[in-house]
Amino acid sequence: MKMIKILVPIFILLSFTVASCAPETLTTDVSATQLSGTILDEYTFPAMYEVPTDELLAEFGISDKHFSEVSAYTTEEPYGIERVFFAIVKDGESIENAKTELTAYFDMIKGQSANYDPVEFAKAENASVYSNGNLLALVICEDSDGALNKVKELIK
Amino acid sequence: MKITRLTALFLSALILLLSLHGCEKSQVADDNSDISAEAEIIEEIQTENTETEYTEASEIAPVQSNEEQVHGIPEIPEIPEVIEEPNIFALETHETFFENAAFVGDSVMYGLEIYSRRKKTIQSNATFLTISSFAARHALSDVTPNSYHPLYNGEKMKVEDALLLDGANKVFLFLGLNDVRVTPNEYFNNYVKFIDRIKETTPDISIFIISTTYPIESPHSMDRPTAASYRDQLKDLNEKLYNYSLENGAYYIDVITPLMSENGFLDNKYTSDSYVHLTNSAYEIWTQILDEYALSLINTGFPPTYEEATDDDITQSTTEVLTTENAPPSDIETEFISVESIQQEEITNETEEIQE
């Protein structure tokens, strides 16, 4: 009996700990294309260029080999800071590796914008690379915070 | 007996020759007009050959003077020998011209890389060695984890080393925007040192210097006097680079003239960030200029020529007057036009005052 009294709290405690450590998983079946479409529709962007997968490395510094689906946009005119990136990481691929690559790219363009227009830099400052389950996302626009919250809402 | 006959024959032939010589002398005056005309035609043909295509000097038929033609005495041709270098681009095609080329530069050059890749222009086949904020002083520095050097096949390295590995036989350089304000006394020297390094590593490479571009007149990030000072330094660099290219066998490609406003800054319609960076429409113009330049070199061995501004052109904007690539730094023309306009205005004002 004593053993049960000791083990039950430990079991409950362990359950909570394991649950909190477990990776968040994408709970909806929203696709990368749907997410980018919604964000582009609801937030302000200049004319955007849809990046083909074979140009992903050149445009975003990340290979498409990580992903089963990618939907990525950058500005039609060179040097615009706005970006929309949604990708579903393939089974067996590490989302952490993909996130590291995308973060390196994001830091690079943020650093570049710091040298030029403060308005553009502010857009990048308020953005961040976001991951949830096998979803990897980056949105840079005038309301980067609001766009990210919208993404979180969409994948609930 | 035989000797006597031979002597008689020899004397007869001598008398005949002397008499013929006398006749010919009297005909020289008549023949001269025909010979002169013939010589003119030959000279015209030779001039045409010199201007249009490379002909081996030995292939040019020597022109004999009137006297030579009369006497048949071979002499050294009187026309100056034209020493022509072979057209090193003659065997290139439009495609291979850029396949064998590398473009080196800063974020503005990176913009060309983006444009050419997306639009699949012929320049997209070239190697691009670009990094944002790249400057000549960076190109001269050693490679370190924090240094500014472009990547070649994913590896950060000096431009000259990348060119050697790449095997490009042409390099297009675009630097200056990140040099002039940081190193006001060194920007030109650093640029030349950088070119020298490239020549040391790859002596046979052809150097193409793309004129630096200018900021707009009123950028978001700086006041007008600062922008004007920035532009003036860039203009100075362009003038020096133009002269350098003339003296050192490099090719100077003017891309700023067609992009300029009437006040000599980058026209607002060609900036994508209200500062120095360019729009796709600006790169479309770059691409046209590069294509024309390449085709001219392939076909003639020479850069495209440009039209000098005439009095009639003065009323037009500078961008309309100078439309070709090898023009000298455009601001010389701009200032000329501005001075002329001011003088014209002063004359008009004086006339009005006198009338009043």
Side-chain angles (χ1 to χ4, degrees):
Chain A
M1 194 60 186
K2 267 188 180 178
M3 278 292 278
I4 293 169
K5 278 182 180 174
I6 294 165
L7 283 174
V8 165
I10 291 172
F11 178 75
I12 293 166
L13 193 66
L14 274 175
S15 300
F16 277 112
T17 311
V18 168
S20 62
C21 290
E24 289 180 77
T25 52
L26 197 55
T27 53
T28 68
D29 56 357
V30 177
S31 72
T33 308
Q34 285 172 319
L35 287 169
S36 62
T38 305
I39 294 299
L40 285 167
D41 282 346
E42 294 190 14
Y43 292 84
T44 306
F45 288 92
M48 298 295 277
Y49 172 76
E50 186 172 6
V51 179
T53 48
D54 62 349
E55 289 180 23
L56 201 65
L57 190 60
E59 293 279 356
F60 278 85
I62 188 165
S63 168
D64 67 317
K65 69 178 183 185
H66 300 289
F67 309 114
S68 58
E69 188 202 359
V70 184
S71 181
Y73 292 79
T74 182
T75 54
E76 182 69 43
E77 293 288 354
Y79 313 113
I81 193 75
E82 286 82 357
R83 299 288 188 276
V84 173
F85 181 96
F86 290 99
I88 307 298
V89 177
K90 277 180 189 170
D91 290 341
E93 286 283 338
S94 161
I95 186 140
E96 286 308 317
N97 288 347
K99 190 174 181 179
T100 303
E101 284 183 38
L102 188 62
T103 303
Y105 164 78
F106 172 59
D107 289 343
M108 182 194 72
I109 60 166
K110 191 161 70 172
Q112 286 173 5
S113 67
N115 297 330
Y116 299 110
D117 191 346
V119 177
E120 296 294 291
F121 179 61
K123 293 175 191 172
E125 268 285 276
N126 294 328
S128 59
V129 174
Y130 171 75
S131 65
N132 185 326
N134 58 352
L135 173 74
L136 188 61
L138 171 66
V139 180
I140 309 174
C141 63
E142 278 184 11
D143 184 11
S144 299
D145 282 337
L148 186 57
N149 288 333
K150 179 71 181 179
V151 172
K152 288 174 183 172
E153 189 183 305
L154 287 168
I155 60 173
K156 264 181 187 173
Chain B
M1 187 63 184
K2 277 185 179 175
I3 295 168
T4 314
R5 279 184 183 175
L6 279 172
T7 311
L9 269 171
F10 177 73
L11 285 170
S12 310
L14 193 66
I15 292 161
L16 195 66
L17 270 171
L18 285 169
S19 59
L20 280 171
H21 184 63
C23 292
E24 279 175 356
K25 267 191 172 175
S26 64
Q27 287 175 358
V28 165
D30 297 335
D31 292 345
N32 269 352
S33 58
D34 295 337
I35 292 162
S36 301
E38 196 180 334
E40 272 177 27
I41 292 165
I42 293 167
E43 198 174 325
E44 266 180 35
I45 292 165
Q46 285 182 331
T47 311
E48 276 176 24
N49 282 343
T50 310
E51 286 173 358
T52 55
E53 57 188 53
Y54 291 94
T55 313
E56 291 289 333
S58 58
E59 288 175 10
I60 300 170
V63 180
Q64 291 180 321
S65 67
N66 293 349
E67 198 179 350
E68 290 161 23
Q69 294 203 2
V70 170
H71 296 290
I73 302 163
E75 282 184 10
I76 299 164
E78 287 177 358
I79 58 159
E81 193 178 349
V82 180
I83 302 165
E84 291 174 347
E85 291 176 10
N87 178 2
I88 58 170
F89 304 107
L91 296 176
E92 299 257 28
T93 64
H94 194 187
E95 287 76 18
T96 62
F97 190 92
F98 289 108
E99 275 173 12
N100 300 325
F103 287 82
V104 174
D106 54 25
S107 55
V108 173
M109 182 62 100
Y110 177 61
L112 179 69
E113 180 182 356
I114 295 172
Y115 176 84
S116 55
R117 185 182 63 244
R118 290 182 184 175
K119 305 291 179 188
K120 297 185 174 29
T121 70
I122 211 149
Q123 287 78 22
S124 63
N125 297 319
T127 299
F128 279 86
L129 300 168
T130 61
I131 180 170
S132 181
S133 304
F134 195 47
R137 67 181 184 282
H138 297 139
L140 296 173
S141 67
D142 291 333
V143 176
T144 65
N146 295 322
S147 66
Y148 272 87
H149 289 92
L151 301 180
Y152 180 72
N153 287 342
E155 188 185 343
K156 189 194 279 190
M157 64 176 74
K158 288 185 175 179
V159 168
E160 59 267 29
D161 295 336
L163 291 172
L164 186 64
L165 289 174
D166 188 66
N169 61 16
K170 300 170 215 76
V171 60
F172 292 77
L173 303 172
F174 181 89
L175 295 169
L177 283 163
N178 301 293
D179 280 289
V180 293
R181 298 173 68 211
V182 183
T183 50
N185 302 315
E186 290 296 319
Y187 49 76
F188 175 65
N189 291 340
N190 284 343
Y191 209 129
V192 171
K193 278 182 200 167
F194 176 43
I195 293 173
D196 287 344
R197 280 196 184 182
I198 292 172
K199 284 179 174 173
E200 279 170 23
T201 316
T202 47
D204 295 330
I205 205 163
S206 299
I207 308 284
F208 293 78
I209 299 168
I210 298 179
S211 70
T212 188
T213 49
Y214 299 155
I216 61 167
E217 192 167 359
S218 301
H220 286 162
S221 51
M222 62 177 65
D223 57 29
R224 194 195 174 284
T226 309
S229 162
Y230 187 16
R231 187 277 315 266
D232 290 345
Q233 286 181 312
L234 293 165
K235 185 177 106 179
D236 174 65
L237 177 61
N238 276 346
E239 286 170 2
K240 285 175 175 160
L241 290 172
Y242 173 69
N243 290 326
Y244 171 86
S245 67
L246 290 180
E247 291 161 9
N248 293 278
Y251 299 93
Y252 178 87
I253 306 178
D254 176 17
V255 296
I256 182 59
T257 300
L259 306 180
M260 279 196 335
S261 67
E262 288 185 358
N263 292 335
F265 289 84
L266 177 66
D267 196 313
N268 282 351
K269 69 181 174 186
Y270 292 124
T271 181
S272 62
D273 65 349
S274 298
Y275 185 32
V276 293
H277 291 117
L278 304 177
T279 59
N280 287 326
S281 56
Y283 287 118
E284 191 178 348
I285 293 170
W286 273 46
T287 302
Q288 286 168 5
I289 291 171
L290 290 169
D291 286 345
E292 285 170 16
Y293 208 101
L295 291 170
S296 180
L297 284 178
I298 292 165
N299 294 328
T300 70
F302 295 103
T305 52
Y306 67 94
E307 293 169 13
E308 294 280 354
T310 63
D311 290 343
D312 295 337
D313 295 326
I314 287 170
T315 51
Q316 299 175 20
S317 73
T318 312
T319 52
E320 287 168 345
V321 176
L322 287 174
T323 54
T324 53
E325 306 59 62
N326 203 35
S330 50
D331 308 289
I332 297 165
E333 294 293 341
T334 313
E335 284 180 1
F336 170 68
I337 290 165
S338 302
V339 170
E340 286 291 305
S341 308
I342 291 162
Q343 284 173 345
Q344 188 61 47
E345 272 183 36
E346 283 172 354
I347 291 165
T348 312
N349 292 339
E350 279 171 16
T351 313
E352 283 171 4
E353 281 171 17
I354 292 163
Q355 283 172 348
E356 282 169 9

